[in-house]
Amino acid sequence: MISNFFNKAGKILLSMIIAFCVLTAFCFFYSNTPVHYDDPDGATDYRWEPKTFHSQMTEGFSYGKTNNEGYYDTTDYVEGEDIDILIMGSSQMEASNVPSGYSSAALLSESLPDLRIYDIGVSGHYFATCVNNFDAAMDKYKPSKYVVIETGYLHFTDEELNQILDGTVETIGSHADGIIGALQKNPFLRQMYYQLESFKEIIGPSEIKDKIISFEKAGAAAETVIEEKKEDDLCNEELLRKVLSKIKTKADENGAHIIIIFHPTMRLDHEGVLTYDNTDNDSLQYERLCDEVGISYIDMSERFASEYYDNNTLAYGFTNTSVGLGHLNKKGQKMMADELYKYIEENK
């Protein structure tokens, strides 16, 4: 009787160990995002584990290795080196869902081999976060020509704009220490942890759930919550001008010029018409205010639309996801790189 119990218990335990090993091996290739750690320099809220393999097949098919600082940039950073162009942004600029070497930054580097381009784009770092980290990024990397800030979101409340001005934007915390940090070393357990964190956000306070969620803020989830906006529902112009002036003043210290590149969250309706969530007036407001303070502004809307209607090419989405939804794909990354290259060449 007792021997049968231990025999069954042993088989169950062995089955669990085998299942755990299989799931770990599966997650290593299917969805393997490295552990992230707080950035001690403050140029970003966090950085991934350095020199670590990453792979993603839940949306697109990507793979690569983080550099010596823990960014997805294909080159290592050498302390004190001259950076010509610094690129900041979210998972869209990090290009976490396309293979290493196909990001906008990597493609731009190929087109401008004489310039040192460094990409510190990290998932979750939308515009407000980039501005919050802007001073630290400039102090560390000291770009001499350009700073590119990517954003897929243009609308902020007065409260959010004041937080950006005050430097009180909520930071993205890391949980890489202690038992949780040790468990996250395993790809399968790390995915379980991320899912639990996402579940906590879903059932969080209603005021959080009711906010507009852009693809970059939500990690490019397949389903997003979009709040209807009126054409005249724009950012507080005075506060937005102050935000733009704030980063312009800091960039001037290095003699660097800021380029804000905006990519709208686009989707196809049931008739195949391309639509996007931000109004034209949002973009026009940004363009006008950027021009006033001396910042360049690139809107990808027209390029994305022309590629779709002229060449049947969508900037977003992959073969293993819903049509046109999700992160920028290889084509979208190339379009962004093309427009940045065109601007830099025209303004030499």
Side-chain angles (χ1 to χ4, degrees), residues 134-135 138 143 147 246-258:
F134 192 81
D135 286 6
M138 293 295 294
V147 185
K246 175 183 178 180
I247 57 176
K248 173 65 165 57
T249 300
K250 184 63 180 180
D252 284 346
E253 294 178 8
N254 283 57
H257 183 71
I258 299 174

Side-chain angles (χ1 to χ4, degrees), residues 13-296:
L13 179 61
L14 180 61
S15 298
M16 292 174 63
I17 292 173
I18 292 174
F20 179 78
C21 292
V22 170
L23 288 170
T24 297
F26 176 75
C27 287
F28 182 79
F29 293 101
Y30 183 68
S31 184
N32 183 19
T33 303
V35 181
H36 63 73
Y37 301 85
D38 292 338
D39 181 359
D41 301 315
T44 51
D45 281 1
Y46 69 85
R47 305 187 300 207
W48 304 110
E49 187 173 2
K51 294 295 184 180
T52 303
F53 174 76
H54 58 86
S55 178
Q56 195 68 255
M57 297 185 185
T58 56
E59 183 188 353
F61 299 93
S62 68
Y63 52 86
K65 194 175 182 180
T66 56
N67 73 354
N68 63 330
E69 286 201 300
Y71 297 120
Y72 278 23
D73 193 277
T74 54
T75 60
D76 285 343
Y77 172 70
V78 178
E79 188 173 357
E81 69 174 321
D82 294 329
I83 301 293
D84 295 302
I85 302 175
L86 180 68
I87 294 180
M88 305 178 70
S90 66
S91 56
Q92 302 288 16
M93 217 57 174
E94 179 182 57
S96 56
N97 293 76
V98 300
S100 178
Y102 287 92
S103 67
S104 296
L107 296 173
L108 187 62
S109 293
E110 291 179 6
S111 300
L112 299 169
D114 295 331
L115 297 180
R116 175 64 167 113
I117 300 171
Y118 193 57
D119 181 10
I120 61 170
V122 185
S123 296
H125 287 57
Y126 62 104
F127 183 75
T129 306
C130 289
V131 174
N132 209 45
N133 298 324
F134 192 81
D135 286 6
M138 293 295 294
D139 289 340
K140 177 178 180 178
Y141 297 108
K142 298 178 172 58
S144 59
K145 296 186 183 300
Y146 294 102
V147 185
V148 177
I149 305 177
E150 164 265 325
T151 184
Y153 191 67
L154 296 179
H155 190 79
F156 295 95
T157 64
D158 289 5
E159 180 183 1
E160 289 170 326
L161 289 171
N162 278 314
Q163 288 175 347
I164 297 173
L165 288 170
D166 298 338
T168 57
V169 174
E170 185 177 356
T171 57
I172 306 169
S174 295
H175 304 282
D177 299 322
I179 295 177
I180 292 179
L183 292 176
Q184 283 191 74
K185 295 291 185 181
N186 179 276
F188 170 58
L189 295 179
R190 188 159 65 249
Q191 289 307 312
M192 291 184 64
Y193 172 75
Y194 287 157
Q195 288 185 4
L196 287 172
E197 287 295 301
S198 297
F199 180 70
K200 284 165 59 179
E201 291 182 7
I202 292 173
I203 62 173
S206 59
E207 61 267 21
I208 295 177
K209 292 187 289 182
D210 290 340
K211 285 185 177 180
I212 298 174
I213 303 176
S214 70
F215 280 110
E216 57 185 346
K217 285 185 177 179
E223 295 294 332
T224 58
V225 180
I226 303 298
E227 184 178 277
E228 292 291 333
K229 293 200 308 89
K230 298 179 181 179
E231 288 287 323
D232 58 352
D233 183 17
L234 302 175
C235 291
N236 182 308
E237 196 147 301
E238 180 183 356
L239 293 177
L240 180 56
R241 186 184 289 106
K242 287 182 179 179
V243 167
L244 297 174
S245 297
K246 175 183 178 180
I247 57 176
K248 173 65 165 57
T249 300
K250 184 63 180 180
D252 284 346
E253 294 178 8
N254 283 57
H257 183 71
I258 299 174
I259 303 173
I260 295 177
I261 184 165
F262 165 63
H263 55 91
T265 301
M266 287 187 161
R267 64 191 67 229
L268 297 176
D269 67 13
H270 64 284
E271 295 181 346
V273 176
L274 197 65
T275 63
Y276 53 96
D277 302 318
N278 289 278
T279 68
D280 289 337
N281 283 351
D282 282 315
S283 189
L284 289 173
Q285 182 190 41
Y286 263 74
E287 183 176 19
R288 176 169 50 80
L289 293 179
C290 281
D291 184 62
E292 283 184 20
V293 302
I295 292 176
S296 295

